Amino acid sequence: DLSITISLNSLAGLYKSQKRYEEAEILYLQSLELSKTNSGRKYPIKDTVFHNFVDFLLQVISENRVEELSQHPVTRSLLEMLQTPDESPDRPKPNKLND
């Protein structure tokens, strides 16, 4: 349901602002999963949720608190991309992962 996706994403944002990173990550991942079923032309929520999750991960990286996050494959894959220097012009950018 779209309202649940939005609510989870909003609560994750609140937890992010409170630096409750473990809890925020769980909610962002749930919101991202739900957004896959709610994506469409009328509700481009998937892009918003993905952008918010990447922004969250960048904040966690900047505060050197990555170890607090889970080993979830989506989280780890994005963290790896965000922490790896861009050595190749062909390297996919994080915003291409949600396509």
Side-chain angles (χ1 to χ4, degrees):
D1 181 60
L2 181 62
S3 62
I4 294 172
T5 302
I6 293 169
S7 295
L8 289 172
N9 192 57
S10 296
L11 185 56
L14 174 64
Y15 287 168
K16 172 189 164 197
S17 71
Q18 296 173 339
K19 301 187 186 308
R20 295 166 62 180
Y21 294 144
E22 292 176 54
E23 295 161 292
E25 178 196 9
I26 292 166
L27 295 176
Y28 277 123
L29 289 168
Q30 289 174 343
S31 181
L32 194 58
E33 186 62 34
L34 284 174
S35 73
K36 292 177 186 177
T37 61
N38 291 318
S39 62
R41 290 183 185 187
K42 189 173 179 183
Y43 303 108
I45 191 71
K46 183 178 170 187
D47 292 340
T48 301
V49 170
F50 182 79
H51 172 77
N52 290 345
F53 187 50
V54 170
D55 185 60
F56 161 74
L57 293 174
L58 289 170
Q59 180 173 322
V60 172
I61 291 167
S62 73
E63 294 181 11
N64 294 317
R65 294 179 59 184
V66 172
E67 71 281 349
E68 295 176 30
L69 301 181
S70 75
Q71 296 298 314
H72 190 283
V74 172
T75 300
R76 291 295 145 183
S77 176
L78 283 170
L79 283 171
E80 184 177 332
M81 286 190 72
L82 294 169
Q83 292 177 303
T84 302
D86 188 4
E87 298 170 0
S88 166
D90 298 328
R91 180 174 162 248
K93 304 295 183 233
N95 63 350
K96 297 294 182 188
L97 289 177
N98 67 338
D99 293 337

